């Protein structure tokens, strides 16, 4: 890869700069030769009245803005790194936002001439890189490790940029998509940072037992993203049809995997709804997010619920009860040790040598209270396993 260090002034870079309000990105510079925000880059996110202002403050103090990288693409240039900074300066110079100077709000137009000149003539250090696509992309990965990191999906979008990514973003990264509201009940993340797209890809790739990278590589040149959309919609519609009440705990679950595992099983929505409600109200269920898969699994995966164990007070009471009884009868205070012939049949365990067990298993309706609590020596409790 060939790199050339160049010096540009802010004025040169911003020649022909346009900020597209609709798409939220800065478009061109260097008289049209420079593409500031290529398709694969993220939206302009510095426009928060802090980071954009900080860029202008730096210029006015004469601080360097840091290295900027362009990719040489035939006769045009694309910003690989630095588009947030360039767009901030461009928007300021076009009067899109103001800064505070000595307590007064100032736009570019209202600044004194020497300040304007300072910004206009500030030098930007730019590395122009020329190389094969894979070299540029590998290196783009590297420079993004420092500075404001891209999300994984933003990186993938840059690596696999093409018609498929464009079509997929139209569906999953479009904040005007009317489906987003419904999706947000089940999927966590910011569509503008490609996090919904990441979930959609994870699901479809998971269903085909391949990595997201492999899926993107295979579909990179597709002109549409139909399969991705169809699969994502199937998963969402399935969840929506079996769990009729929405809980916040449903957000961000692995619905793609659950769909693959359970969508061929028949469920009765009305009884599932009731079962979810009961478990949500059950205080001994510690992991409410586990409820959905627990029910899908036909209540076989009890461990998903992290059913709360007996509290210390209950354990102590059960221990005292069993130990008093054991001292009277001269047998062990472990209910199992005392009833089978073994070396520990008369052993009195200390409380820290014992664990609490549900007499009637929680999954069979047993409560986590004293009436259902039995202390067992550790080996016997472990031997009983998770009932
Ligand atoms: Zn025992």
């Amino acid at each position: 890869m060939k790199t050339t260090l160049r010096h540009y002034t802010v004025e040169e870079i911003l020649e022909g700069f346009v900020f597209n309000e609709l798409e939220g990105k800065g478009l061109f510079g260097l008289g049209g030769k420079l593409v500031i925000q290529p398709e694969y880059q993220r939206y302009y996110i510095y426009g928060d009245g802090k980071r954009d202002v900080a860029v202008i403050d730096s210029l006015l103090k004469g601080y360097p803005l840091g290295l900027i990288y362009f990719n040489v693409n035939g006769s045009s240039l694309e910003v690989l790194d630095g588009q947030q900074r360039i767009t901030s300066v461009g928007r300021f110079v076009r009067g899109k936002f103001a800064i505070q100077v000595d307590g007064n709000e100032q736009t570019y137009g209202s600044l004194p001439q020497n300040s304007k000149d300072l910004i206009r003539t500030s030098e930007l250090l730019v590395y122009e890189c020329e190389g094969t696509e894979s070299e540029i992309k590998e290196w783009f990965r590297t420079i993004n490790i420092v500075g404001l990191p891209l999300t994984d999906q933003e990186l993938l979008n840059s690596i696999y940029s093409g018609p498929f990514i464009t079509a997929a973003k139209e569906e999953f990264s479009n904040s005007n998509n009317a489906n987003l509201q419904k999706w947000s009940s089940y999927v966590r993340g910011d569509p503008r940072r490609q996090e919904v797209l990441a979930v959609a890809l994870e699901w479809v790739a998971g269903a085909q037992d391949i990595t997201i990278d492999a899926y993107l590589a295979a579909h990179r040149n597709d002109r549409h993203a139909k399969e991705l959309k169809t699969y994502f919609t199937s998963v969402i519609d399935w969840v929506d049809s079996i769990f009729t009440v929405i809980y916040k705990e449903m957000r961000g679950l692995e619905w793609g995997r659950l769909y693959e595992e359970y969508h061929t099983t028949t469920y009765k929505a009305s009884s599932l709804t009731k079962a979810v409600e009961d478990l949500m109200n059950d205080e001994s269920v510690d992991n409410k997010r586990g409820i959905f898969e627990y029910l899908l699994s036909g209540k076989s995966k009890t461990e998903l619920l992290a059913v709360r164990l007996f509290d210390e007070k209950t354990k102590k009471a059960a221990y005292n009860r069993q130990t008093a009884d054991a001292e009277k009868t001269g047998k062990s205070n472990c209910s199992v040790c005392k009833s089978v012939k073994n070396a520990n049949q008369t052993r009195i365990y200390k409380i820290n040598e014992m664990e609490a067990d549900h007499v009637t298993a929680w999954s069979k309706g047993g409560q986590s209270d004293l009436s259902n609590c039995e202390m067992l020596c550790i080996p016997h409790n472990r031997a009983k396993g998770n009932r």
Side-chain angles (χ1 to χ4, degrees):
M1 190 172 66
K2 197 177 126 206
T3 58
T4 319
L5 184 62
R6 291 196 193 282
H7 301 252
Y8 290 104
T9 62
V10 162
E11 187 170 40
E12 286 172 317
I13 296 273
L14 292 183
E15 197 196 327
F17 176 84
V18 178
F19 183 76
N20 182 321
E21 296 289 348
L22 193 67
E23 290 190 56
K25 60 190 200 178
L27 298 178
F28 302 105
L30 290 173
K33 198 181 164 199
L34 176 69
V35 181
I36 292 175
Q37 209 127 9
E39 189 54 48
Y40 55 81
Q41 293 280 25
R42 69 167 138 218
Y43 298 82
Y44 177 60
I45 56 172
Y46 268 28
D48 57 5
K50 286 191 184 114
R51 287 178 288 188
D52 49 359
V53 167
V55 169
I56 306 307
D57 283 343
S58 297
L59 286 181
L60 287 173
K61 287 176 179 148
Y63 299 160
L65 283 193
L67 276 177
I68 283 173
Y69 297 90
F70 293 168
N71 171 28
V72 181
N73 188 356
S75 60
S76 71
L77 297 165
E78 292 176 347
V79 180
L80 266 177
D81 193 48
Q83 83 273 19
Q84 301 289 336
R85 286 166 284 167
I86 292 175
T87 305
S88 298
V89 181
R91 291 184 78 240
F92 182 69
V93 171
R94 291 286 178 273
K96 302 285 184 194
F97 67 95
I99 56 167
Q100 298 281 329
V101 180
D102 302 326
N104 296 315
E105 203 151 86
Q106 298 275 14
T107 59
Y108 180 75
S110 66
L111 284 176
Q113 191 59 44
N114 63 337
S115 300
K116 282 187 201 171
D117 290 343
L118 183 59
I119 291 177
R120 219 168 38 78
T121 58
S122 288
E123 264 200 353
L124 301 179
L125 273 185
V126 178
Y127 268 115
E128 292 184 358
C129 311
E130 221 174 331
T132 64
E133 197 179 346
S134 60
E135 278 175 334
I136 300 276
K137 282 170 179 172
E138 178 53 40
W139 172 83
F140 184 60
R141 244 189 215 279
T142 314
I143 59 171
N144 271 293
I145 292 165
V146 292
L148 192 74
L150 296 178
T151 62
D152 287 350
Q153 189 57 44
E154 285 169 333
L155 266 177
L156 287 173
N157 287 357
S158 72
I159 292 166
Y160 295 104
S161 65
F164 174 78
I165 285 289
T166 305
K169 278 170 70 178
E170 217 164 274
E171 178 76 5
F172 295 103
S173 312
N174 172 0
S175 23
N176 296 321
N177 187 331
N179 290 321
L180 272 179
Q181 176 75 30
K182 179 178 174 185
W183 296 349
S184 69
S185 304
Y186 312 113
V187 177
R188 189 179 276 158
D190 178 356
R192 293 190 35 152
R193 299 227 48 201
Q194 318 302 331
E195 288 163 341
V196 178
L197 174 58
V199 171
L201 286 166
E202 187 185 308
W203 290 357
V204 79
Q208 299 175 15
D209 209 14
I210 57 175
T211 64
I212 292 176
D213 270 272
Y215 188 86
L216 287 173
H219 292 273
R220 182 171 183 184
N221 295 314
D222 292 2
R223 305 241 140 239
H224 58 79
K226 283 194 195 117
E227 181 188 63
L228 181 67
K229 284 193 221 174
T230 307
Y231 187 79
F232 185 81
T233 308
S234 310
V235 175
I236 296 284
D237 288 349
W238 173 74
V239 183
D240 199 43
S241 68
I242 55 171
F243 293 113
T244 53
V245 178
I246 291 167
Y247 293 86
K248 66 179 192 308
E249 287 84 357
M250 299 170 105
R251 226 177 155 211
L253 293 180
E254 296 172 78
W255 293 114
R257 178 180 62 77
L258 296 176
Y259 174 80
E260 285 301 311
E261 263 177 69
Y262 301 110
H263 82 275
T264 54
T265 309
T266 314
Y267 299 96
K268 209 170 145 210
S270 58
S271 37
L272 272 188
T273 303
K274 174 79 172 63
V276 173
E277 193 191 339
D278 289 347
L279 290 168
M280 281 288 169
N281 291 328
D282 188 330
E283 279 178 17
S284 48
V285 173
D286 238 12
N287 180 27
K288 305 287 190 202
R289 285 168 65 76
I291 290 174
F292 306 95
E293 184 171 2
Y294 168 71
L295 292 174
L296 290 171
S297 76
K299 303 190 180 181
S300 65
K301 299 183 174 177
T302 315
E303 68 278 8
L304 291 171
L305 300 178
V307 174
R308 192 166 317 140
L309 303 173
F310 297 96
D311 61 30
E312 290 309 313
K313 202 177 131 218
T314 306
K315 284 195 240 176
K316 190 88 202 282
Y319 175 83
N320 289 342
R321 186 176 63 188
Q322 284 171 228
T323 307
D325 191 50
E327 279 160 357
K328 239 184 278 166
T329 57
K331 293 206 165 166
S332 172
N333 58 351
C334 164
S335 319
V336 180
C337 287
K338 75 173 182 192
S339 49
V340 286
K341 239 191 159 47
N342 73 97
N344 292 323
Q345 205 166 12
T346 60
R347 176 165 169 187
I348 303 290
Y349 292 93
K350 295 190 189 118
I351 192 164
N352 60 9
E353 293 170 325
M354 303 186 90
E355 288 174 346
D357 181 50
H358 287 83
V359 178
T360 302
W362 176 88
S363 55
K364 296 192 172 66
Q367 296 297 299
S368 296
D369 59 21
L370 184 59
S371 69
N372 195 37
C373 181
E374 173 179 59
M375 299 299 284
L376 298 178
C377 71
I378 291 172
H380 277 138
N381 188 52
R382 305 264 159 106
K384 265 182 95 173
N386 198 337
R387 291 185 307 166

